[in-house]
Amino acid sequence: MTLIKIPPSWQLPESQVTPEAVFLNRRRFLQGAIGLAATTLPLTACSTPDSTTNKEAAYQNLIKNPNFVDVGRPVTAEHLTSTYNNFYEFGTGKSVWRAAQALPLDNWKIEVTGLVSNPRTYDLDDINRKFPIEERIYRFRCVEAWAMVIPWVGFPMRLLVQDVQPTSAAKFVRFTSFYDPKITKGGSLLGSRPWPYTESLRVEEMNNELAFFATGIHGKPLPKQNGAPLRMVIPWKYGFKGAKSIVKIEFLPTQPATFWNTINANEYDFEANVNPFQPHPRWSQATERIVSDAPSLLWETRQTLPFNGYAEYVANLYT
Ligand code: MTE
């Protein structure tokens, strides 16, 4: 039995669709995401720009990558991307966005280790300083055949690869999500599962132009339910490959076990490229349904595109 569920219908109570209830206010997100104190001093001629002001400025003058501004479909509304979520560490229902507010972002660290010449443990200031952010609008396709269009903010994964310099023995990369059963209480509701949530790519996939670390969405820092402070975005693969709230990245010589693939390799294959011609064992992947405010039965249906429409970027990885 799969754990990825399509909810019975898309009729959110009014209380759940108020975006500001989710997003609080922008200032609190900025501070939460970088774990700093409550006041941000204005930049003066004599002050050294800190990463808070750098980050605010980066969001105010957000660079929109011209290669990824139009996917031929409207961008999904913010109140949908921020409430229609999967984050099984915090529960299985579609109200998981509420439970995910328990995610603690203070003093967040991301350890990069394994077969690299330059192992690093980044804090969020390091991430903000080192990796300039940009906006990219990508199609998003869940293995359960629903789809969105999401304006991510973040940086290409290859910049981090360049920073840590994998050795020639590194072939795979494992990404591990935050997990603490005292906080991620929803995980235990699922019974015995191979926590923490992990995902993996080949090093060449991580170096592909499309592979992206998101730190923001809709022009603002990522809400917790979308995987703050940093998550994977791999637009040519099914959504489960995009691990949220990353705490560890390891460069490895061989293919590691991953969360869904360990649970059911037949239903969640390691590669998980979006493929209309390869049905899921229990449903077709030929079409997808676009998440909208309408009841789910009325969602618009579209043809699924090979590699989710990104074949020109990635097909060469799979010859
Ligand atoms: N990452 C973690 N750590 N835990 C999860 O449950 N769910 C995955 C993926 N990343 C998941 C995760 C699945 S199944 C999907 S479809 C996407 O996150 C959903 O991302 P969204 O909630 O931002 O739309």
Side-chain angles (χ1 to χ4, degrees):
M1 186 182 73
T2 179
L3 293 169
I4 302 181
K5 291 188 301 188
I6 299 177
S9 72
W10 182 241
Q11 283 290 357
L12 282 175
E14 193 63 34
S15 59
Q16 287 190 20
V17 298
T18 308
E20 289 313 306
V22 183
F23 289 107
L24 309 173
N25 63 53
R26 181 169 172 274
R27 176 64 50 123
R28 275 171 64 194
F29 264 110
L30 284 167
Q31 287 157 354
I34 58 178
L36 291 180
T39 313
T40 301
L41 292 173
L43 187 61
T44 67
C46 298
S47 65
T48 310
D50 64 19
S51 65
T52 314
T53 47
N54 283 346
K55 188 173 178 185
E56 291 215 17
Y59 273 94
Q60 273 156 19
N61 307 304
L62 195 55
I63 294 163
K64 296 175 191 289
N65 186 317
N67 296 326
F68 306 109
V69 289
D70 181 14
V71 297
R73 301 177 185 178
V75 167
T76 304
E78 187 175 335
H79 71 268
L80 297 172
T81 62
S82 63
T83 55
Y84 193 81
N85 302 110
N86 285 339
F87 207 162
Y88 290 101
E89 290 88 330
F90 292 97
T92 51
K94 285 295 179 197
S95 62
V96 73
W97 66 268
R98 288 183 198 278
Q101 303 313 311
L103 182 73
L105 298 179
D106 286 352
N107 301 316
W108 195 275
K109 301 268 194 302
I110 301 166
E111 183 190 2
V112 187
T113 180
L115 299 171
V116 290
S117 307
N118 186 21
R120 294 288 314 260
T121 297
Y122 299 105
D123 62 23
L124 296 181
D125 282 350
D126 298 328
I127 298 275
N128 293 335
R129 259 194 306 267
K130 268 195 163 295
F131 305 115
I133 56 170
E134 63 183 46
E135 181 176 85
R136 294 185 177 197
I137 298 177
Y138 280 162
R139 290 186 204 87
F140 183 91
R141 174 60 153 79
C142 178
V143 71
E144 292 233 334
W146 55 263
M148 295 188 186
V149 174
I150 304 188
W152 299 108
V153 178
F155 58 93
M157 286 189 174
R158 63 177 154 70
L159 297 183
L160 184 141
V161 177
Q162 281 161 21
D163 199 40
V164 299
Q165 296 172 35
T167 68
S168 57
K171 304 292 178 219
F172 289 86
V173 191
R174 174 169 52 201
F175 304 81
T176 303
S177 295
F178 175 86
Y179 188 70
D180 175 345
K182 292 191 289 303
I183 298 169
T184 48
K185 294 181 179 154
S188 58
L189 299 176
L190 302 176
S192 174
R193 302 292 168 190
W195 300 111
Y197 195 105
T198 52
E199 256 312 330
S200 174
L201 298 172
R202 291 194 279 119
V203 174
E204 308 89 84
E205 292 176 318
M206 193 178 175
N207 269 324
N208 183 271
E209 173 58 18
L210 295 180
F212 202 62
F213 281 123
T215 56
I217 186 171
H218 293 288
K220 298 174 229 180
L222 270 183
K224 294 180 178 183
Q225 64 270 30
N226 291 108
L230 180 130
R231 71 171 287 170
M232 306 168 66
V233 177
I234 313 296
W236 72 96
K237 294 180 182 280
Y238 293 118
F240 71 86
K241 292 295 287 186
K244 297 180 169 182
S245 305
I246 304 285
V247 293
K248 194 172 192 183
I249 300 171
E250 298 157 276
F251 287 77
L252 304 168
T254 52
Q255 182 180 311
T258 54
F259 183 81
W260 288 108
N261 191 250
T262 303
I263 291 172
N264 190 337
N266 193 33
E267 300 206 344
Y268 309 108
D269 67 304
F270 180 86
E271 205 157 75
N273 293 329
V274 175
N275 186 349
F277 310 111
Q278 185 185 333
H280 184 277
R282 290 180 289 117
W283 56 83
S284 165
Q285 294 289 23
T287 59
E288 61 197 32
R289 296 171 324 122
I290 313 294
V291 176
S292 76
D293 281 315
S296 60
L297 283 174
L298 300 179
W299 288 352
E300 182 189 348
T301 299
R302 298 244 191 155
Q303 296 296 310
T304 303
L305 302 171
F307 298 108
N308 204 19
Y310 296 104
E312 64 177 304
Y313 289 93
V314 298
N316 64 326
L317 290 169
Y318 307 102
T319 47

